[in-house]
Amino acid sequence: MLYFSRFKMILIWLAVAATVILAAPNLFPASTLAQLPSWVPKRQMTLGLDLQGGSHILLEMNQNDLIKDRLETARDEIRTLLRDAKIGYTGLAGTGRTLQVRITDPAQLDAAKKALKSLTDPVAAGLFTGGSIQEMSLDDSEPGLLKFTVTDAGIKYRTSTALEQSIEVVQRRVNELGTTEPIVQRQGDDRILVQVPGLQDPQRLKEILGQTAKLTFQMVDQSMPVQDALKGRPPAGDSVLYSQDDPPVPYLIENRVIVSGENLVDAQATYNSQNNEPVVSFRFDSKGAARFGQATAQNVGKLFAIILDNQVISAPQIREPILGGTGQISGNFTAQSANDLAVLLRAGALPATLTVIEERTVGPGLGQDSIHAGKVAGIIGSILVVAFMFVSYGFLGFLANIALAVHVAMIVGLLSLLGATLTLPGIAGIVLTIGMAVDSNVLIYERIREERRAGRSVIQAIDTGFSKALATIVDSNVTSLIATVVLFYLGTGPVKGFAITYAIGILTTVFTAFTFTRLLVSIWLRRARPKELPKAPVTFVPPGTKIPFMGIRRWTFALSSTLSILSVVLFMSVGINYGIDFKGGSLIEVQSKSGDANLGDIRSRLTELNIGEVQVQQFGAPNDVLIRVGTQDAGENAEQTVIDKVRGELQDQYNFRRVEVVGPTVSGELAKQGTIAMIVALVGILVYVWFRFEWQFAVGAIVATVHDVVMTLGFFVISGLEFNQSSLAAILTIIGYSLNDTIVVYDRVREDLRKYKRMPLPQLLNNAINETLSRTTLTSVTTSLALLALVLFGGEVIRSFTLAMLFGVVFGTYSSIFIAAPLLILFKLRPQASADEEKPVNGGKAVAT
């Protein structure tokens, strides 16, 4: 095991060198890297939106718009087809998804069906359904009445095609803003995810994405005063539309569209040469220019309206025919609003309304603060872990620290190579793996010490220690990896970033702790030829410790049962402080522009806005404030209205550092995903442990893990910490850590079961726990030190995550000793042990139970 061929040594050192080279660009600013030769690696880690600032917006398409549009089109088709076929009809109207028409002459019913057959003909859907679909179905059961209904397949087809078109439009709109590397991608059947890093004005992005931008040119009906139409009923073929002015001005508009935005080929923000006011210049294609020229020639002296999303932008008078296919849109524009309108017109209209159902925006200032906090926490956590390892193992601890440095370099190098996104929870993941990475080294070193105490030579002890620790290392890390994979697939945003970082950390741990550390130890052995293992400055758990853990198992069972029941009762009665991720609403972090924040003033001003439940609290520094607004009853758009109101009220005195909005639809989905994630993780771990061990081990591991989850939920209830997506990540990580700890004990129990065939089970469990106690203690301490650094210096944003993790590590260590192990007695892992519990072994005294 300790022999390395020259070829293998070269490969290991090359792997280490490669990761160090890949990680190195992250130590330098981008401007410095640009000056280096082209062959030098320059790729850095991609920072998430929570670190570099920017916006994450989830848009949902309104299917009702698509259905309404399809029915309007079908109504025009029916009207045209029946008139062309000279078939009389009446009662052409639609409700919901159905359109109906009554044929006045029953003798023409068959001819009407034949004329309207095109409405029910299959549509070649191809890419969307893999064949053809029937968009509309016909119901002629009632004599003389034809009912056309949009089918479910038709809605799905329309939605899919409209979503693809919308993605192209959104992509063009976002690109027009001049942002770098935006992400616009499909999510599910009717949603679009937009991520724009480094965005300075998220409000402008939302305004541009929220408009359908359906532009039409229609005539103003001047045959009657608009006030008469408002008092009575507009003439057939007319509608009353309002301008964008304040107060809005009504216009009587003919429904007939002269030209639409589909005929535009260009639009630019310019200035009117006469009054120097911002305007939007446009140019039609040949078809649009001809239709516009014909309409203006026929209506000289009349008014025509330029309409955007059913609002009249302007209604100028046609003084002369406009034959060149160009024109200007004037209104109460600012330079930016004119530019935004030009962007919308160039990008094209959306086929349906897109509603913002989730928004997460972080200002660049908060991102820099998070990076600084992460660096400080990482440095302090690393120093604590490195110092503790050196104190615990002396020179062997020094070798482990070298491997730890390589471990961190490998994580950073792989994140850079893969182009993975580093988020704030991802930084926490790196710091956490620093604490947990030494676990494998502790496992190996404790095993080496044990083999040396058993009388083996130094070389034999080291060789055997590495060999016997491998299976435990693999088993303990696989269980953590299962929980992490589940978190990756069911998590979102920063939580997914944590899962990626943590998973990479688990994989690199196995390499650095087992392969690289073994290489360093073998080099030391060849050069130093030691006669004894290096001495440690401090021994935390003395060799030969024999604590009768099983003797108090009834007390620990009673304590854990009481605490678990109490946690469940508190969870059911008091409830947990759910964040907006799971109950919806808005979260806004603001920072006072000068002096400390006035919480009372903020609270009173926001209460007057009538936006429902408002919570205002200090968040870290005296000038930082966290505002929570409850979910709105009026739907998804109402959530965005709340943000607009709060921004308008506070933006003069406060900087908006972070805005998160989760609508009721998304919050329900996140809650469902969180429940599924925990169940899937537990089932996956159960299957793996059952496969590797006997069923008693698997059930015992799951019961102990559920105990830790229940305890952590109780901790959230008692502490009042907000339970959000990061908290869910903490619980899944606790599941992995708790199993990691339990597997180490179980692995030693399984080994001792083979070694001591007749030893009573309680005594065997005591031996196994005492043999692994040093490892359990040292791993718990190193992980806790890293987490403590995150709690104290990692910042407020991830404090609930790190506090929950710290609590979970403590209880995970407790449960692996006092819950998981004693359960094996309860499940009668060794049936004969019950009768032999009080019998002496090898002439010794009976073991207390």
Side-chain angles (χ1 to χ4, degrees):
M1 286 290 289
L2 292 175
Y3 171 74
F4 286 86
S5 66
R6 184 179 296 275
F7 178 71
K8 186 180 288 187
M9 288 181 65
I10 292 172
L11 285 180
I12 294 173
W13 284 114
L14 283 176
V16 172
T19 54
V20 170
I21 291 172
L22 289 172
N26 294 281
L27 299 174
F28 305 97
S31 57
T32 302
L33 294 175
Q35 299 173 5
L36 297 177
S38 58
W39 54 268
V40 176
K42 301 183 182 65
R43 192 166 187 175
Q44 296 178 313
M45 287 185 293
T46 303
L47 298 181
L49 298 181
D50 57 344
L51 293 179
Q52 65 170 316
S55 289
H56 162 110
I57 295 176
L58 187 62
L59 303 164
E60 186 173 63
M61 178 173 289
N62 189 341
Q63 291 187 347
N64 292 329
D65 283 2
L66 298 174
I67 296 172
K68 180 181 177 182
D69 184 64
R70 182 67 186 100
L71 290 181
E72 288 179 356
T73 304
R75 184 187 293 112
D76 292 341
E77 289 183 44
I78 291 173
R79 186 181 294 113
T80 301
L81 291 171
L82 292 180
R83 285 177 179 174
D84 290 347
K86 295 182 174 52
I87 297 173
Y89 66 92
T90 186
L92 177 58
T95 56
R97 292 165 53 175
T98 301
L99 191 66
Q100 66 180 31
V101 60
R102 184 173 295 279
I103 306 303
T104 53
D105 184 359
Q108 291 186 302
L109 188 60
D110 289 336
K113 290 180 184 179
K114 185 177 180 180
L116 300 177
K117 185 176 179 299
S118 60
L119 292 173
T120 57
D121 284 342
V123 178
L127 291 174
F128 304 102
T129 62
S132 60
I133 56 103
Q134 187 179 18
E135 266 200 279
M136 303 192 78
S137 61
L138 172 63
D139 177 13
D140 59 352
S141 57
E142 187 176 336
L145 186 68
L146 301 180
K147 292 183 178 180
F148 294 90
T149 302
V150 182
T151 63
D152 291 338
I155 293 174
K156 184 177 180 181
Y157 164 69
R158 285 278 166 177
T159 302
S160 187
T161 53
L163 194 65
E164 292 298 324
Q165 181 182 343
S166 297
I167 290 174
E168 293 180 8
V169 173
V170 169
Q171 182 81 57
R172 288 196 294 267
R173 291 184 184 181
V174 173
N175 288 338
E176 289 280 359
L177 293 177
T179 56
T180 57
E181 299 183 1
I183 296 173
V184 179
Q185 60 188 28
R186 178 175 184 154
Q187 190 168 89
D189 294 331
D190 58 354
R191 293 178 183 175
I192 301 174
L193 174 64
V194 181
Q195 290 184 338
V196 186
L199 185 67
Q200 300 294 324
D201 188 0
Q203 194 66 21
R204 184 183 176 206
L205 173 66
K206 285 192 298 181
E207 290 172 356
I208 287 179
L209 295 180
Q211 296 187 55
T212 307
K214 188 174 183 180
L215 183 74
T216 57
F217 295 80
Q218 297 167 235
M219 295 303 301
V220 177
D221 189 345
Q222 297 173 274
S223 62
M224 68 180 295
V226 66
Q227 297 302 328
D228 293 346
L230 287 172
K231 293 176 183 177
R233 188 174 180 181
D238 286 358
S239 299
V240 176
L241 299 180
Y242 291 86
S243 71
Q244 296 178 326
D245 301 311
D246 188 17
V249 178
Y251 290 89
L252 186 61
I253 305 296
E254 295 181 8
N255 293 340
R256 181 176 60 91
V257 175
I258 300 173
V259 187
S260 70
E262 296 176 358
N263 299 114
L264 283 178
V265 294
D266 190 26
Q268 297 291 335
T270 58
Y271 290 90
N272 190 311
S273 58
Q274 296 178 355
N275 54 26
N276 206 35
E277 290 183 351
V279 295
V280 177
S281 298
F282 61 85
R283 180 164 55 88
F284 289 122
D285 59 16
S286 57
K287 180 180 178 182
R291 294 177 62 180
F292 193 64
Q294 182 181 9
T296 53
Q298 293 173 352
N299 295 280
V300 173
K302 297 182 179 179
L303 302 179
F304 78 96
I306 303 172
I307 301 168
L308 181 70
D309 292 342
N310 290 324
Q311 284 189 308
V312 178
I313 298 177
S314 62
Q317 184 181 39
I318 304 173
R319 292 188 171 87
E320 59 185 11
I322 304 173
L323 305 176
T326 61
Q328 287 184 346
I329 302 174
S330 59
N332 296 320
F333 292 130
T334 63
Q336 180 170 306
S337 62
N339 185 64
D340 287 349
L341 177 57
V343 167
L344 292 172
L345 298 182
R346 286 198 302 272
L350 291 167
T353 303
L354 294 176
T355 303
V356 178
I357 60 173
E358 181 184 9
E359 177 197 353
R360 300 181 192 272
T361 298
V362 176
L366 179 59
Q368 289 300 317
D369 290 349
S370 297
I371 293 174
H372 176 72
K375 286 181 178 178
V376 171
I379 292 171
I380 294 175
S382 300
I383 291 172
L384 291 174
V385 172
V386 166
F388 185 80
M389 283 299 292
F390 184 74
V391 169
S392 301
Y393 293 104
F395 182 75
L396 289 179
F398 171 73
L399 297 181
N401 289 333
I402 295 175
L404 185 62
V406 172
H407 163 77
V408 175
M410 292 190 78
I411 293 178
V412 175
L414 288 173
L415 285 173
S416 303
L417 179 65
L418 298 174
T421 301
L422 179 68
T423 61
L424 181 56
I427 293 178
I430 293 177
V431 178
L432 182 59
T433 58
I434 289 173
M436 295 186 65
V438 297
D439 171 56
S440 297
N441 287 111
V442 171
L443 270 171
I444 294 167
Y445 288 170
E446 288 302 310
R447 196 66 195 232
I448 290 172
R449 285 177 172 178
E450 193 177 328
E451 296 297 328
R452 179 59 178 150
R453 288 194 295 268
R456 296 181 184 271
S457 66
V458 173
I459 295 179
Q460 288 175 332
I462 292 175
D463 191 43
T464 306
F466 274 101
S467 300
K468 289 188 174 181
L470 179 60
T472 307
I473 291 172
V474 171
D475 284 335
S476 60
N477 281 289
V478 166
T479 52
S480 294
L481 193 60
I482 290 172
T484 308
V485 169
V486 171
L487 187 61
F488 173 78
Y489 279 106
L490 296 179
T492 59
V495 173
K496 193 183 287 282
F498 167 79
I500 294 172
T501 306
Y502 194 61
I504 291 175
I506 291 172
L507 297 175
T508 56
T509 292
V510 178
F511 172 80
T512 55
F514 187 78
T515 303
F516 186 64
T517 304
R518 189 159 54 93
L519 174 62
L520 294 178
V521 171
S522 69
I523 294 173
W524 168 68
L525 283 175
R526 283 202 309 272
R527 295 189 175 182
R529 299 188 180 278
K531 301 298 182 184
E532 191 53 72
L533 293 174
K535 298 294 183 182
V538 178
T539 301
F540 290 93
V541 179
T545 300
K546 294 188 180 298
I547 302 174
F549 292 103
M550 296 303 102
I552 59 171
R553 68 178 186 272
R554 293 181 178 88
W555 293 100
T556 56
F557 275 161
L559 175 64
S560 293
S561 299
T562 302
L563 291 177
S564 297
I565 293 171
L566 181 62
S567 294
V568 172
V569 170
L570 288 173
F571 180 79
M572 300 294 291
S573 58
V574 178
I576 207 165
N577 180 22
Y578 287 110
I580 65 168
D581 289 335
F582 298 119
K583 69 177 182 181
S586 306
L587 182 148
I588 308 160
E589 183 182 344
V590 298
Q591 187 177 70
S592 174
K593 293 181 178 179
S594 62
D596 295 345
N598 188 333
L599 302 185
D601 176 62
I602 293 175
R603 192 177 291 111
S604 63
R605 290 166 66 181
L606 296 185
T607 302
E608 293 175 358
L609 296 178
N610 295 321
I611 55 177
E613 179 189 357
V614 177
Q615 297 177 12
V616 181
Q617 67 183 70
Q618 187 176 324
F619 191 67
N623 61 337
D624 288 335
V625 179
L626 194 67
I627 302 167
R628 290 188 180 89
V629 183
T631 186
Q632 305 297 300
D633 297 330
E636 308 285 353
N637 285 322
E639 306 289 349
Q640 292 298 321
T641 303
V642 165
I643 300 298
D644 294 340
K645 287 183 177 181
V646 174
R647 191 182 294 274
E649 184 68 30
L650 301 178
Q651 64 184 353
D652 291 340
Q653 296 173 265
Y654 295 88
N655 291 318
F656 281 66
R657 289 162 61 83
R658 175 166 58 119
V659 174
E660 295 186 12
V661 181
V662 179
T665 303
V666 173
S667 62
E669 292 173 356
L670 291 176
K672 181 180 178 181
Q673 284 181 351
T675 305
I676 293 173
M678 292 219 296
I679 294 174
V680 170
L682 289 172
V683 170
I685 291 169
L686 173 67
V687 171
Y688 179 79
V689 178
W690 202 323
F691 175 76
R692 292 287 289 131
F693 298 84
E694 298 177 46
W695 70 266
Q696 291 96 333
F697 290 98
V699 177
I702 291 300
V703 171
T705 304
V706 171
H707 163 271
D708 297 338
V709 172
V710 171
M711 290 292 101
T712 306
L713 290 175
F715 171 72
F716 272 104
V717 176
I718 294 172
S719 66
L721 289 172
E722 181 182 289
F723 190 85
N724 49 33
Q725 277 262 298
S726 295
S727 307
L728 177 62
I731 287 184
L732 286 173
T733 309
I734 289 168
I735 289 174
Y737 178 86
S738 177
L739 261 296
N740 183 310
D741 228 10
T742 301
I743 290 297
V744 172
V745 175
Y746 277 0
D747 198 73
R748 182 56 63 93
V749 170
R750 181 174 59 177
E751 183 180 328
D752 287 352
L753 283 170
R754 300 191 191 104
K755 190 185 298 183
Y756 307 112
K757 300 292 185 182
R758 298 186 55 79
M759 180 180 288
L761 188 56
Q763 182 180 342
L764 185 143
L765 293 174
N766 277 334
N767 286 352
I769 294 172
N770 280 294
E771 288 168 353
T772 57
L773 186 61
S774 181
R775 173 266 165 199
T776 301
T777 304
L778 294 177
T779 297
S780 179
V781 170
T782 54
T783 308
S784 297
L785 287 174
L787 286 169
L788 190 61
L790 283 170
V791 170
L792 297 176
F793 305 103
E796 291 289 336
V797 177
I798 57 170
R799 182 145 295 164
S800 64
F801 168 81
T802 51
L803 279 173
M805 276 298 306
L806 188 58
F807 178 87
V809 165
V810 173
F811 262 84
T813 304
Y814 162 84
S815 67
S816 64
I817 296 174
F818 294 106
I819 304 296
L823 282 172
L824 298 178
I825 300 175
L826 187 66
F827 296 149
K828 300 186 184 303
L829 178 64
R830 182 178 278 180
Q832 72 272 21
S834 299
D836 296 339
E837 280 186 1
E838 305 296 332
K839 293 182 181 179
V841 178
N842 297 330
K845 294 181 179 179
V847 177
T849 61

